[in-house]
Amino acid sequence: MRRYISHQFPNEIKTYISLILASLLTVITIDFFLYSSDYAQHLFKQLIADKPILSFAITPITFVLIVYIAKYFCHYVQGSGIPQLIAANDSRNKTIRQQLLSFRVAVGKICFIFLGMLGGAPIGIEGPSIHIGGSIFYGFNRFLKLKRKLLIHSLIAIGGSAGLIVAFNAPIAGFLFAYEEIGRKLKKQALVLIAAVSLLVYVLSILYRGNEAYLNDMSIHTINYLLIWQLIPLAILAGISGGLFSKATLYLIEKFISHTKARVILIAVFLGFVIALFNYLSKGQIAGSGRDEVLLMLTGEQLDLDFVLMKYFATLTSLASTIPGGLFMPSISIGAGIGAEMAQYYSNIDFQIIIMMAMIAYLSAVVRAPLTATFVILEMSVSLHLIIPGLLVAFIANWISKQIFTQPIYEALADNYLKLTNS
């Protein structure tokens, strides 16, 4: 048994030193990335709150710049970044892995997300954080020159896990995401190394910036387990909404593929104008990741159905443009909006519980990773005691979404990624 486990770990001391350095660099880099992105989105929101008409100039110009530069000069930084990690981990081609994951890609991702947030794009930071983490860890392979396939692919999964852990302060969710999505084709014994380094990243993250919950502490809220069945309609609604979102996203991305520079610019202007319209109507409320709006809803503030619809279609439009940007937090904010609207129909369950369950259900329906969706929300809100109702709504929503679109969105994007980026 000892020999079997030891075979899954590196043999050289320099590899362990590099893993520690990569973990520390990931924590520092992503913390800077989160701070700069947060600053950029709040700067845009403050500007648009006073002069919403400016969104019609700022947002389209931003979309054109990002789409054009990313497509012709900075390949492989588009989208959330999670499909790139999946494609890199599934590929046996070293050249492809180096194109999808590198220090250069990580720097590009940080710059483009900052610009996108500054321009009012409704994008998140978690997928990019996962891409950055994977790029940093795989970048260290230049010094390590690992040759065993298990260790190389474990390195990519570790980086993705680290990115999610640092972004959301959610160690269990980070590890589960590596298992459910990034490293789903890895041999199960690789999870030992992934778990060990993920724990190291979490400890370093706490030491570097503290252990504050990403969302509000909801640990005081509980649910009577006899009422869990009442959450089923909520899970069904979220499952349908999330499944349709994924199907529409992939359809629009295929439709907007362009082979000429003029059409690339025209499409970017059009999609940027659509986002600008939503920013104008919401006074910047749909811009950015959506975390601020989730925090408001958890404290009882109503943002109404308008916010849910605008965030839903704005996020869909942004993803269709292929600009760099994450899907997790925008999806969580849409789920929170659904929960806030549905909460008025529940008299025996706290509205905070309804909102959290809706966030879990909708995120699970969109990304089709029910374990990750459950734990990331519960860890962000310090509510792991709600694991049973959380898993219930997650798996129901996941099943509903699967009936609408069979293949998970990140897996589908990974399959088509090279075709999309080389066009």
Side-chain angles (χ1 to χ4, degrees):
M1 181 66 179
R2 181 179 177 183
R3 182 180 178 184
Y4 173 78
I5 294 177
S6 64
H7 180 67
Q8 318 313 323
F9 286 83
N11 298 320
E12 299 183 14
I13 279 292
K14 71 172 185 177
T15 304
Y16 290 98
I17 295 174
S18 293
L19 287 173
I20 294 172
L21 291 175
S23 299
L24 185 59
L25 180 59
T26 299
V27 170
I28 295 172
T29 302
I30 294 180
D31 184 68
F32 168 77
F33 169 62
L34 299 179
Y35 176 82
S36 62
S37 300
D38 194 55
Y39 173 80
Q41 67 175 311
H42 282 105
L43 190 62
F44 175 82
K45 288 185 175 184
Q46 289 172 7
L47 178 63
I48 298 303
D50 296 330
K51 298 178 180 179
I53 195 70
L54 288 177
S55 62
F56 289 108
I58 297 172
T59 305
I61 291 174
T62 300
F63 268 67
V64 170
L65 284 174
I66 293 176
V67 170
Y68 187 85
I69 296 173
K71 184 173 181 66
Y72 294 108
F73 301 101
C74 299
H75 300 298
Y76 309 111
V77 299
Q78 295 99 325
S80 75
I82 294 172
Q84 287 92 312
L85 255 72
I86 295 174
N89 224 12
D90 290 349
S91 175
R92 296 182 179 181
N93 189 315
K94 180 181 178 181
T95 302
I96 290 176
R97 290 199 299 268
Q98 290 176 338
Q99 289 176 331
L100 296 174
L101 306 173
S102 67
F103 292 132
R104 179 175 176 271
V105 169
V107 172
K109 202 79 175 186
I110 293 172
C111 294
F112 279 119
I113 296 297
F114 179 84
L115 183 59
M117 291 288 194
L118 204 58
I123 52 178
I125 45 81
E126 67 305 311
S129 295
I130 290 169
H131 195 189
I132 292 167
S135 294
I136 290 174
F137 270 84
Y138 186 73
F140 269 81
N141 194 43
R142 289 188 177 184
F143 313 111
L144 299 174
K145 299 188 184 303
L146 296 174
K147 296 184 179 179
R148 284 170 55 196
K149 180 182 175 182
L150 177 68
L151 292 180
I152 294 172
H153 290 258
S154 295
L155 202 64
I156 297 171
I158 288 168
S161 173
L164 183 57
I165 289 170
V166 180
F168 284 149
N169 195 25
I172 302 175
F175 171 74
L176 289 174
F177 190 71
Y179 168 73
E180 281 191 300
E181 283 286 356
I182 305 170
R184 66 193 188 288
K185 293 184 179 180
L186 280 176
K187 294 179 180 179
K188 297 300 181 286
Q189 58 264 37
L191 296 176
V192 179
L193 179 61
I194 295 171
V197 183
S198 295
L199 179 60
L200 171 65
V201 170
Y202 178 57
V203 172
L204 289 174
S205 179
I206 291 175
L207 293 174
Y208 183 74
R209 63 176 190 180
N211 194 27
E212 185 178 349
Y214 191 76
L215 297 179
N216 289 342
D217 186 340
M218 296 284 119
S219 58
I220 63 171
H221 298 282
T222 58
I223 184 174
N224 183 345
Y225 279 17
L226 295 177
L227 301 177
I228 287 180
W229 65 271
Q230 294 183 12
L231 298 173
I232 295 177
L234 181 68
I236 293 173
L237 176 61
I240 294 171
S241 303
L244 290 174
F245 180 92
S246 296
K247 187 171 185 176
T249 296
L250 293 165
Y251 173 80
L252 290 175
I253 287 176
E254 291 286 349
K255 285 296 181 182
F256 285 132
I257 293 176
S258 179
H259 300 278
T260 64
K261 291 184 178 181
R263 192 164 184 266
V264 167
I265 294 172
L266 186 63
I267 290 173
V269 169
F270 170 71
L271 296 178
F273 184 83
V274 172
I275 301 295
L277 179 61
F278 287 127
N279 278 327
Y280 175 78
L281 295 174
S282 68
K283 293 185 178 180
Q285 200 169 51
I286 63 97
S289 67
R291 182 194 178 197
D292 292 341
E293 288 69 35
V294 172
L295 292 173
L296 287 174
M297 286 183 275
L298 285 173
T299 58
E301 184 165 334
Q302 285 288 335
L303 299 185
D304 298 326
L305 186 60
D306 291 348
F307 168 78
V308 183
L309 294 175
M310 285 192 288
K311 190 71 175 180
Y312 186 95
F313 289 107
T315 304
L316 181 61
T317 304
S318 183
L319 286 174
S321 74
T322 71
I323 70 166
L327 180 57
F328 266 61
M329 201 63 222
S331 295
I332 290 170
S333 66
I334 295 168
I338 293 173
E341 290 299 309
M342 291 289 289
Q344 58 185 311
Y345 301 107
Y346 289 86
S347 57
N348 298 320
I349 304 176
D350 290 348
F351 76 89
Q352 290 94 341
I353 299 289
I354 300 300
I355 291 175
M356 283 191 285
M357 294 301 110
M359 288 192 289
I360 292 172
Y362 184 78
L363 181 61
S364 178
V366 171
V367 303
R368 297 281 301 286
L371 292 177
T372 301
T374 302
F375 278 92
V376 76
I377 300 300
L378 297 183
E379 286 187 283
M380 287 195 299
S381 56
V382 197
S383 304
L384 285 173
H385 61 287
L386 298 174
I387 185 67
I388 293 178
L391 288 173
L392 173 69
V393 299
F395 278 100
I396 290 175
N398 178 72
W399 184 85
I400 297 280
S401 178
K402 189 176 181 180
Q403 309 314 304
I404 297 172
F405 192 78
T406 305
Q407 194 176 25
I409 185 171
Y410 290 137
E411 189 176 308
L413 289 172
D415 288 346
N416 295 319
Y417 194 77
L418 291 178
K419 179 179 70 175
L420 293 175
T421 54
N422 286 331
S423 59

